[in-house]
Amino acid sequence: MLQHHVQSALILEDDADWDVFLRQQLVDLARAMRALQNNTAATSSPYGTEWNIMALGHTGINNRLNIDQQYWIARDDPTVIAESKRTWSRKPDLSAPALSGGRDRVVMQVSKLTGTAAYAISLRGAARMLYDQVLLPNAAAIDTAISDMCRRDEYDTPFCYGTYPMLIGRYRAIGPKARDSDRRTSSNEAKPGSGGGQSHEERLEPESEFTVFPVSLNARTLLQGGVMVRAVNVEKDMVGEADLRTFRLPRGRAVWVAKDEYVGVESAKLP
């Protein structure tokens, strides 16, 4: 990026999956990012110019609780997965009245994150990451490195923004479940911190996690020119089936939250 002055990039892991309605989701993300940066003037990027990292595919984020700040929230978004599907442990504190709800998507400043299935990085963010990882004694795996920089937040503008829940999920193919990750040993002995040994189970049907209308599971319909796409979990998702010709996502709006408005578990840990 630095060598060729690439202004921004989207980094995806090889098993990334996304919603059929990603384009609409990104339109509202652009509105959100400009609002959170207080950017009303025309810029070269629809997402504004005062950002470094956008966490778009993860397995959990924390919001920044020690400052008064603006959030962006889209209420009753049919592409938001059910709470029962949010099985990760790291979650933002959304206990402030302006943030409370059910199937809402929230864009916020991020203080920590887990996983980097997908993230956007700006040219300035890339330069700061290289400085941190190459010239300072902070080298780490990329997800740890980004989370650490989000936590330290050492620059004049917020280092990390993110969406919750995530926009980018992950695909799980038919076949041995051991192929889901290369962090397992071939002898089925768990490496320290790997979370266990290899699974010998077979997946008989393809799966997609963390999205409602995944492209992967609707690929046949799309390739055949169909217009009706199906949700992963018809019983739990807000909309079981959607028409590509008429489906529209709700438009989000900016809300202001003071640091003393949080009443959740995470805010109780603050000094």
Side-chain angles (χ1 to χ4, degrees):
M1 289 179 69
L2 270 64
Q3 182 177 0
H4 298 288
H5 301 284
V6 176
Q7 294 302 304
S8 62
L10 176 61
I11 312 300
L12 297 169
E13 291 189 352
D14 61 3
D15 58 355
D17 199 3
W18 49 89
D19 203 283
V20 169
F21 300 105
L22 180 64
R23 181 175 295 182
Q24 290 189 47
Q25 293 174 331
L26 292 180
V27 168
D28 206 57
L29 175 64
R31 296 188 189 111
M33 289 298 297
R34 293 173 68 88
L36 298 188
Q37 297 167 78
N38 295 314
N39 191 324
T40 57
T43 64
S44 57
S45 168
Y47 304 99
T49 57
E50 300 298 315
W51 62 276
N52 301 281
I53 294 284
M54 286 191 282
L56 306 179
H58 50 78
T59 47
I61 57 176
N62 292 133
N63 47 337
R64 198 167 296 284
L65 301 174
N66 59 350
I67 59 171
D68 302 335
Q69 63 181 299
Q70 197 164 223
Y71 289 78
W72 184 270
I73 184 166
R75 298 284 188 190
D76 299 320
D77 183 341
T79 64
V80 169
I81 61 174
E83 181 66 40
S84 61
K85 293 293 184 180
R86 305 175 200 180
T87 54
W88 50 88
S89 57
R90 186 184 299 281
K91 297 182 179 181
D93 185 335
L94 303 178
S95 61
L99 302 176
S100 60
R103 297 296 183 92
D104 305 332
R105 194 178 306 281
V106 185
V107 184
M108 67 192 81
Q109 293 185 39
V110 172
S111 63
K112 292 181 182 179
L113 62 84
T114 301
T116 49
Y119 62 95
I121 186 168
S122 67
L123 178 60
R124 181 177 61 181
R128 290 171 172 176
M129 283 293 301
L130 280 175
Y131 170 70
D132 182 78
Q133 294 294 289
V134 176
L135 298 181
L136 298 180
N138 298 328
I142 188 62
D143 52 349
T144 302
I146 291 177
S147 186
D148 286 347
M149 293 195 72
C150 296
R151 175 181 54 80
R152 296 198 305 268
D153 199 36
E154 297 171 321
Y155 294 94
D156 55 345
T157 55
F159 192 78
C160 295
Y161 290 96
T163 64
Y164 188 85
M166 64 287 286
L167 289 180
I168 306 297
R170 60 191 181 195
Y171 175 68
R172 294 294 186 239
I174 295 173
K177 292 185 178 181
R179 294 179 181 173
D180 290 352
S181 174
D182 59 5
R183 297 178 65 184
R184 305 286 194 266
T185 62
S186 59
S187 63
N188 201 37
E189 296 175 356
K191 291 182 180 179
S194 69
Q198 284 186 321
S199 170
H200 293 294
E201 296 180 5
E202 292 279 329
R203 183 177 290 106
L204 303 180
E205 297 290 339
E207 299 173 2
S208 186
E209 299 175 310
F210 312 143
T211 56
V212 174
F213 301 103
V215 168
S216 63
L217 301 188
N218 284 287
R220 179 181 294 275
T221 296
L222 298 174
L223 292 171
Q224 291 177 338
V227 296
M228 302 301 296
V229 291
R230 188 173 175 83
V232 171
N233 193 322
V234 175
E235 292 75 23
K236 293 187 177 181
D237 292 323
M238 286 181 64
V239 177
E241 196 173 48
D243 190 327
L244 295 174
R245 299 165 297 184
T246 59
F247 185 86
R248 295 293 180 270
L249 291 179
R251 179 168 180 158
R253 64 183 181 90
V255 297
W256 183 260
V257 176
K259 61 185 178 182
D260 59 359
E261 292 186 58
Y262 303 101
V263 295
V265 174
E266 288 298 320
S267 58
K269 297 178 183 178
L270 292 177

